[in-house]
Amino acid sequence: MSMHKLTSGAFLGGLTMDSYTPDLAGHGFYDHPGTGGTFDTHNRAGANIQLYGVIPSPCSPSDFRLEQTVKRTRLRINGNVHPEEGQTFDDIAKSGQNASGPPFRQEFPGGGDAPLGYIISMADSPFTAYDPTIKIEHDRDFVTSLVGRNGRKSVSWSLSTRISGGAVTSNDLT
C-alpha cells in the first residue's frame, strides 16, 4: 500500500475536480479542473490536487478509508492573527462530505499513467477568497492518509498564499 499526491499535470483515471465535486462544477470555485496546480480566479486563490492510494489488486477497497488533516500554520487577515492560526482540523469532517464513496472517493484499476494496483483517490481544491480591500497571509499544511487494517500510509503537502490589494502575490503548492 502507498499514498501519493499529484500537484501538476493531468489527473489520473480520466478524473477531474468536477468528478469529485460535481456540485461545485461551473461555479468558479476552482480553475483548470482536470489538472493539478495552483489557480487564481480573481476572487479565489488556491490549488487543485489529486491524492491517491495504491493497494494490491487482491485487497478489498472497502477495507480502506481516506483521512486528511489540515494545520493552519499562518492565517493573518489585514495583519491580524485569525483564531484558527496554529490549529489542526479533520479536513474531511470539516468539509461535510461523505468520504466513503463517490463522488468524494473515486476508485479505479491502475495501469497506463497510474501505478499498478487498485487506486483509491480523492481531490482537494483549498482556496482563499479575497477582494481588493484585503491583505491575507495563509499557510496550510495537509496530511492525507490511506488507512487499512494493517496500517496507514500518508503524504504531506502544503499551500502558501499571499494576497495584497486584490492581487495574488504568491500561491505555492508543495
Side-chain angles (χ1 to χ4, degrees):
M1 153 171 110
S2 60
M3 191 68 196
H4 309 270
K5 61 185 176 184
L6 190 151
T7 58
S8 65
F11 279 6
L12 301 177
L15 297 168
T16 69
M17 286 303 304
D18 298 343
S19 305
Y20 294 99
T21 56
D23 55 324
L24 300 180
H27 294 284
F29 284 95
Y30 44 78
D31 201 5
H32 58 79
T35 58
T38 60
F39 62 80
D40 177 5
T41 67
H42 303 292
N43 63 4
R44 287 180 176 86
N48 296 339
I49 183 167
Q50 186 182 41
L51 301 134
Y52 62 96
V54 182
I55 62 172
S57 294
C59 292
S60 174
S62 63
D63 290 339
F64 296 85
R65 72 180 184 280
L66 293 163
E67 295 180 351
Q68 182 168 286
T69 60
V70 58
K71 180 175 184 179
R72 297 194 191 290
T73 56
R74 186 171 186 86
L75 181 51
R76 308 283 168 101
I77 301 173
N78 294 327
N80 299 310
V81 176
H82 190 278
E84 290 185 355
E85 184 173 297
Q87 305 234 358
T88 300
F89 299 94
D90 178 335
D91 200 34
I92 294 173
K94 191 172 181 174
S95 76
Q97 300 292 319
N98 177 357
S100 65
F104 184 93
R105 172 181 165 147
Q106 299 283 335
E107 301 175 7
F108 54 94
D113 290 342
L116 292 177
Y118 194 78
I119 311 296
I120 299 171
S121 69
M122 63 178 269
D124 202 354
S125 60
F127 65 84
T128 302
Y130 68 93
D131 65 41
T133 66
I134 202 162
K135 179 180 179 182
I136 300 174
E137 301 169 59
H138 196 182
D139 298 339
R140 291 156 281 187
D141 291 337
F142 297 83
V143 177
T144 309
S145 303
L146 182 66
V147 182
R149 292 181 183 167
N150 295 323
R152 154 191 312 268
K153 293 293 183 180
S154 302
V155 65
S156 298
W157 53 287
S158 300
L159 183 61
S160 176
T161 307
R162 299 292 184 270
I163 300 164
S164 183
V168 177
T169 57
S170 68
N171 192 28
D172 300 315
L173 175 64
T174 56

